[in-house]
Amino acid sequence: TLLARNNLAGAYESAGQLERAMPLYEQTLADSVRVLGEDHPDTLLARNNLAGAYESAGQLERAMPLYEQTLADSVRVLGEDHPDTLLARNNLAGAYALADDVEKAIALYERTLADRRRVLGISHPDTLTSQSNLAGAHALKGDLARAVALYEQTVAQSVQILGEDHPTVQTMRNNLTYWREKARAERLDLSTDS
């Protein structure tokens, strides 16, 4: 029943109906804590999903504490190297980036990327996602040269692993194109100012 409710909430969220998804996620988390306990992996997932819905709704002040608690509990219950712990760290980094705390985001993304490379390997799709997320954080910080270089590396690896036509490759390629154009425009602005 908890899983069914969680999945229904996820379907509403995917359909852009956050006002219908959030109460279901909230109920799923409350019931998971009551039935399964605070430390059950499904409870951790329920908390993470609710945080994601709050983030999608632009309610970072509600999402951030849930992400932080999910990460702390995941480390304690599942261990530092568990894929769900790595996901929790990645999600918290994303929330920091959205909250304009890019330095914290970069630190968490770097750690997540290093851990995913070690645990999952450099070719795993989650590792490539971490690499792309780190590139995006560097771009937000204004370090476009580093961001573009990392995006280039990520796109090349993604094409090899996922193929040219994979939607993730297309998204990463679009990000690369966008930030290359921004970097080129920035260089042009600097050269005309001199």
Side-chain angles (χ1 to χ4, degrees), residues 169-187:
V169 172
Q170 298 305 315
T171 299
M172 290 178 184
R173 188 171 276 134
N174 289 340
N175 290 339
L176 172 59
T177 300
Y178 176 81
W179 290 110
R180 267 188 186 152
E181 291 299 316
K182 290 281 266 188
R184 187 160 31 116
E186 201 173 88
R187 283 192 303 273

Side-chain angles (χ1 to χ4, degrees), residues 48 55 67 86-96 109:
N48 185 70
E55 180 182 323
Y67 279 139
L86 301 177
L87 176 64
R89 187 175 296 118
N90 183 76
N91 291 346
L92 179 57
Y96 282 140
Y109 279 142

Side-chain angles (χ1 to χ4, degrees), residues 5-6 8-28 53:
R5 187 181 304 122
N6 183 73
L8 179 59
Y12 283 139
E13 184 177 6
S14 294
Q17 297 180 28
L18 287 171
E19 71 286 349
R20 294 181 80 178
M22 284 192 291
L24 290 173
Y25 279 136
E26 290 167 344
Q27 184 180 356
T28 301

Side-chain angles (χ1 to χ4, degrees), residues 93-147:
Y96 282 140
L98 287 174
D100 291 328
D101 196 343
V102 181
E103 291 298 330
K104 277 187 181 176
I106 287 173
L108 284 175
Y109 279 142
E110 286 175 340
R111 180 165 178 201
T112 304
L113 177 57
D115 289 347
R116 280 182 166 169
R117 282 177 174 162
R118 181 177 47 77
V119 174
L120 303 174
I122 61 170
S123 301
H124 194 281
D126 289 350
T127 304
L128 297 174
T129 296
S130 286
Q131 201 165 288
S132 180
N133 291 343
L134 178 57
H138 282 301
L140 290 175
K141 184 181 174 188
D143 190 348
L144 298 185
R146 183 178 283 178

Side-chain angles (χ1 to χ4, degrees), residues 133-174:
N133 291 343
L134 178 57
H138 282 301
L140 290 175
K141 184 181 174 188
D143 190 348
L144 298 185
R146 183 178 283 178
V148 167
L150 201 49
Y151 272 130
E152 287 171 344
Q153 178 185 354
T154 306
V155 167
Q157 289 174 295
S158 297
V159 167
Q160 286 180 331
I161 294 157
L162 302 172
E164 280 287 337
D165 299 326
H166 194 280
T168 300
V169 172
Q170 298 305 315
T171 299
M172 290 178 184
R173 188 171 276 134
N174 289 340

